[in-house]
Amino acid sequence: MKQEGNRPLKIIAGADSFGSTLKDALVAHLRSLNIDVEDLGTDTYYSIGAEIGRRVSSAADSPETETRGLVACGTGVGVSIFANKFPGVFAATCLTIGEAENTRSINNCNVLAVSGISTSPESGVEILDTWLKTPFKSPCPASDAKPWPVEIQSFLGNSINEMSKIGPDTKKQPTSCAICSLASNREFVPVDIMPGGSMKIVRESPTSAVVRFKAGSVEPSHHHTFGHDLVVLKGKKKVWNITKGEDYELNVGDYLYTPAGDRHRVKYFEDTEFFIRWDGDWDIFLDEDLAAAHSAVDKDLGCGSDGK
């Protein structure tokens, strides 16, 4: 199927368990239209939303293919939140045909998010078809089904470039600083998907950071696009490299390298601080939830839920 600029269309699809049935029906419909579909299957809503957002973002400038995303969860909201964390991704939750028309016309939406709870497969197909066929800046319910005025069309056209700039951190470290003090003026930002953790990025690309975790914290199994080196500055932790079937106890001064893609889980026995450097830009993809991580850690350590 040809799209804007006569580029062939590719759809990357995925869902959580609440959206998988609807996703499967929509993937089957896309394939019946001879559209290239890459189905990533089922994962947590935050992991699958982030993965599809990352891939659509990475392919945004491809001259050969127009890549869009299709994500589904219970409400369609959670997956869109995490897809939208990546530059150039314009994900929108659509429960009606009108919403699909509006978001394509106004926002040039390139990731469609749908609700596995509220939307039947039949309605989902209608929403998907509308989203596929509606061009950017075309008449839609928001324009009363009439062409947009010239000034609005101009605004919409300019908005795509401006919106794409929102999100990336453009701050640069001072080039005159050969040795910077990491001990002063630290502003640690909580790592939302890792309770008990906070991070201070000291270099953007490749990413270097100082990270803190509170005693008793657990990092669920996760992986990164790039490998990373770390050195423990304070405290004590244990790392399970699930991919390799190995584990490591780390104390102050210990070093560990974790290769790209290796799934690993971490337990912090004390308030811990470490320096970490990725081989590229920092990202994170969860492979299990926090409850499963605590259960696995407790089983390995032979202790109860209080870690004793």
Side-chain angles (χ1 to χ4, degrees):
M1 182 175 182
K2 298 287 186 179
Q3 289 293 302
E4 299 169 4
N6 293 320
R7 291 183 297 165
L9 177 64
K10 177 179 180 178
I11 302 288
I12 303 175
D16 73 356
S17 57
F18 292 98
S20 60
T21 298
L22 178 59
K23 183 268 297 179
D24 289 345
L26 298 184
V27 166
H29 177 67
L30 288 168
R31 287 175 172 157
S32 75
L33 300 175
N34 294 318
I35 294 176
D36 181 16
V37 182
E38 182 179 358
D39 186 355
L40 302 186
T42 304
D43 204 339
T44 59
Y45 74 86
Y46 41 85
S47 294
I48 200 68
E51 180 65 11
I52 290 177
R54 182 183 68 82
R55 294 193 183 204
V56 171
S57 177
S58 297
D61 296 326
S62 171
E64 292 85 16
T65 305
E66 179 188 358
T67 300
R68 298 192 201 175
L70 170 65
V71 288
C73 65
T75 63
V77 176
V79 281
S80 69
I81 289 173
F82 284 90
N84 273 324
K85 289 184 176 291
F86 295 84
V89 172
F90 311 122
T93 303
C94 297
L95 302 181
T96 66
I97 291 173
E99 290 174 343
E101 285 185 283
N102 285 338
T103 195
R104 279 293 301 149
S105 172
I106 299 169
N107 312 117
N108 199 26
C109 169
N110 55 8
V111 175
L112 174 64
V114 291
S115 166
I117 293 176
S118 302
T119 304
S120 67
E122 294 76 17
S123 295
V125 166
E126 293 178 348
I127 292 169
L128 176 60
D129 281 341
T130 300
W131 181 75
L132 290 171
K133 296 174 182 176
T134 302
F136 180 46
K137 299 189 288 186
S138 63
C140 64
S143 69
D144 200 21
K146 299 175 183 178
W148 290 106
V150 174
E151 63 272 18
I152 298 298
Q153 291 203 37
S154 176
F155 165 77
L156 294 176
N158 292 332
S159 70
I160 297 302
N161 182 53
E162 294 175 358
M163 289 191 298
S164 296
K165 296 176 182 177
I166 297 174
D169 188 346
T170 57
K171 295 180 181 178
K172 302 295 182 180
Q173 293 297 317
T175 56
S176 60
C177 179
I179 301 177
C180 299
S181 173
L182 302 182
S184 62
N185 299 318
R186 291 184 184 173
E187 296 177 5
F188 283 79
V189 177
V191 182
D192 292 336
I193 61 175
M194 293 291 183
S198 59
M199 180 166 65
K200 166 63 178 178
I201 293 179
V202 296
R203 186 183 181 191
E204 295 292 341
S205 182
T207 306
S208 299
V210 179
V211 181
R212 288 174 175 171
F213 273 89
K214 296 178 180 178
S217 299
V218 169
E219 291 184 56
S221 173
H222 61 282
H223 63 279
H224 308 280
T225 302
F226 298 95
H228 60 69
D229 308 84
L230 70 80
V231 176
V232 178
L233 306 176
K234 170 187 174 183
K236 180 180 179 182
K237 61 190 283 188
K238 183 171 183 178
V239 179
W240 289 263
N241 187 313
I242 301 167
T243 299
K244 290 185 168 55
E246 299 173 350
D247 57 79
Y248 319 94
E249 290 194 7
L250 305 178
N251 295 281
V252 175
D254 286 341
Y255 164 88
L256 178 67
Y257 178 73
T258 301
D262 275 17
R263 294 179 295 115
H264 52 291
R265 181 188 298 123
V266 187
K267 166 76 174 185
Y268 295 89
F269 300 102
E270 303 172 1
D271 288 347
T272 301
E273 185 169 296
F274 55 94
F275 177 80
I276 186 167
R277 179 191 180 278
W278 284 267
D279 294 332
D281 293 339
W282 175 78
D283 60 13
I284 186 168
F285 304 99
L286 293 180
D287 301 307
E288 65 182 2
D289 61 27
L290 189 58
H294 275 286
S295 178
V297 167
D298 290 343
K299 181 178 179 181
D300 185 87
L301 297 177
C303 58
S305 60
D306 61 354
K308 298 179 180 179

